[in-house]
Amino acid sequence: MRVLVTGGAGFIGSHVVRVLVNAGHEVRVLDALLSCAHPGGVPPFSPDPGFEFVHGDVRDAQTVDGVLHGVGAVCHLAAMVGLGVDFDDAPLYAGCNDLGTAVLLAAMARAGVARLVLASSMVVYGEGAYSCAEHGPAATPPPRHASDLDAGRFEPRCSRCGKPLAAGLVLEEAALGPRNVYADSKVAQEHLAGSWARATEGLAVALRYHNVYGPGMPRDTPYAGVASFFRSALAAGRAPRVFEDGAQRRDFVHVRDVAAATFAAVEALAVPGAQSVLAEPGTLRAYNVGSGTPRTVGELASALADAYGGPGPDITGEYRLGDVRHITASSERIQRELGWRATVPFAEGVAEFAAAPAGRALASRATA
């Protein structure tokens, strides 16, 4: 099957492309090579990578119409990620993520392409699931106030007794509660994909990736993830700077596992009668994609520092109002329905990431 991968020259996209090519799919990559992810705008792969590359922007309807010719499924990974610099980035996120998705989906409707795998994110949930030892499951806590964070009161508290809440695992049915511009844009992408599916009787899967790390992460950019920030600090001989008290819970999942989950979704969509596996045509099916083992941000910083041989983390007490305290989710649904589960152990993945050279490259046909 010919698969279009938007953002296929990026961190996650390059790994997805490699898996698809290895499995025998005909792959076409569309990537704008934006400078925030690709300094210099240079494609990060060899001249004969084993797939077709189109340098173009998903926001350009004429380009998207052209690349959809003969395509059976689309993996839509092109997006701005991270919290960015400040609210001035809002137009960039809305343009790249939401306008880009709308342009792509409209072109898919015109071309009759009826299979979509959307790269979503755990940020759509906002805060995670919580419970109180005395009062049981708790409602999603409201955004934290600067006054509490300034005082070092980082944990959400029970609205009834005021005691700190315990973090749990979020299920896909949980209400969405985005807390920053990036999260808003990912929710909008899911809603657009759902509308496209209903209007076209298409099949759509949204993969809510958790904190992805691994070789090829962009570095030295405010749009990268926390693992990249820590790795860049260690490479410069500095201690990783950890915000709050380092006890924020996340699920760090290796990029190879994420690529495998994305491939599993593509394969499920390609099976005749896929609606019996995923959902009825005209619906969006969401899946959490995580390692299944929550870790704290402080644990990640310490593990990276140990693996790299650098200074231990600096717990700063600083914070960003757009951050949530704890967000970890259950990946049981994707294990049950698509047969995927994470396989890269945390210690092994962190050691590999610590030793990986800076930059990234897509495998050529000979080495894929």
Side-chain angles (χ1 to χ4, degrees):
M1 180 172 63
R2 181 177 293 166
V3 182
L4 173 67
V5 182
T6 71
F11 167 45
I12 298 175
S14 62
H15 288 269
V16 170
V17 167
R18 185 177 297 119
V19 173
L20 290 169
V21 169
N22 286 348
H25 288 287
E26 183 180 347
V27 176
R28 179 178 292 152
V29 169
L30 174 66
D31 201 298
L33 300 178
L34 297 180
S35 60
C36 55
H38 303 276
V42 179
F45 43 78
S46 63
D48 183 24
F51 53 86
E52 180 184 357
F53 172 72
V54 177
H55 183 194
D57 199 310
V58 74
R59 292 168 290 186
D60 180 70
Q62 184 175 358
T63 297
V64 177
D65 282 337
V67 297
L68 283 172
H69 175 70
V71 165
V74 173
C75 285
H76 182 34
L77 287 88
M80 287 294 301
V81 299
L83 283 182
V85 178
D86 52 38
F87 201 80
D88 279 345
D89 281 331
L92 182 61
Y93 280 93
C96 289
N97 298 0
D98 303 336
L99 174 60
T101 299
V103 171
L104 172 66
L105 294 173
M108 290 174 64
R110 289 192 296 272
V113 180
R115 298 178 176 89
L116 172 71
V117 177
L118 171 68
S120 187
S121 170
M122 55 83 184
V123 298
V124 299
Y125 297 116
E127 285 285 357
Y130 291 92
S131 63
C132 173
E134 182 176 349
H135 298 108
T140 300
R144 297 177 295 172
H145 295 292
S147 58
D148 287 331
L149 299 173
D150 287 335
R153 295 188 293 268
F154 301 121
E155 295 291 348
R157 295 180 176 273
C158 177
S159 60
R160 298 174 64 184
C161 66
K163 295 179 181 178
L165 297 170
L169 299 180
V170 179
L171 301 178
E172 287 87 350
E173 294 83 4
L176 306 185
R179 299 289 172 93
N180 55 61
V181 169
Y182 170 56
D184 291 333
S185 74
K186 299 308 286 186
V187 171
Q189 283 187 304
E190 288 199 16
H191 287 168
L192 286 165
S195 296
W196 165 83
R198 287 188 292 275
T200 65
E201 288 294 294
L203 285 169
V205 170
L207 299 178
R208 293 171 178 168
Y209 300 149
H210 279 247
N211 292 73
V212 187
Y213 75 97
M217 285 193 81
R219 55 174 294 183
D220 302 326
T221 166
Y223 304 99
V226 65
S228 180
F229 296 155
F230 294 162
R231 174 68 167 74
S232 293
L234 290 164
R238 302 190 305 268
R241 298 179 70 253
V242 179
F243 282 8
E244 301 186 18
D245 58 0
Q248 310 95 301
R249 286 164 59 91
R250 299 291 188 268
D251 188 326
F252 298 100
V253 58
H254 196 277
V255 66
R256 285 200 302 276
D257 282 329
V258 168
T262 308
F263 173 73
V266 172
E267 291 287 279
L269 289 175
V271 173
Q275 61 269 23
S276 63
V277 178
L278 300 170
E280 290 297 321
T283 62
L284 175 76
R285 188 68 166 166
Y287 294 99
N288 294 326
V289 178
S291 73
T293 305
R295 308 273 179 176
T296 68
V297 174
E299 283 182 279
L300 173 68
S302 295
L304 266 175
D306 290 345
Y308 194 84
D314 175 18
I315 309 299
T316 69
E318 297 176 73
Y319 63 85
R320 297 183 301 185
L321 276 177
D323 284 340
V324 298
R325 180 59 175 173
H326 305 296
I327 174 63
T328 57
S330 168
S331 297
E332 192 276 334
R333 174 185 286 180
I334 192 171
Q335 294 171 13
R336 183 181 70 251
E337 296 185 3
L338 301 188
W340 173 89
R341 66 175 60 245
T343 61
V344 179
F346 179 73
E348 176 185 315
V350 168
E352 178 192 13
F353 178 48
R360 58 177 168 271
L362 292 179
S364 69
R365 184 187 300 275
T367 61

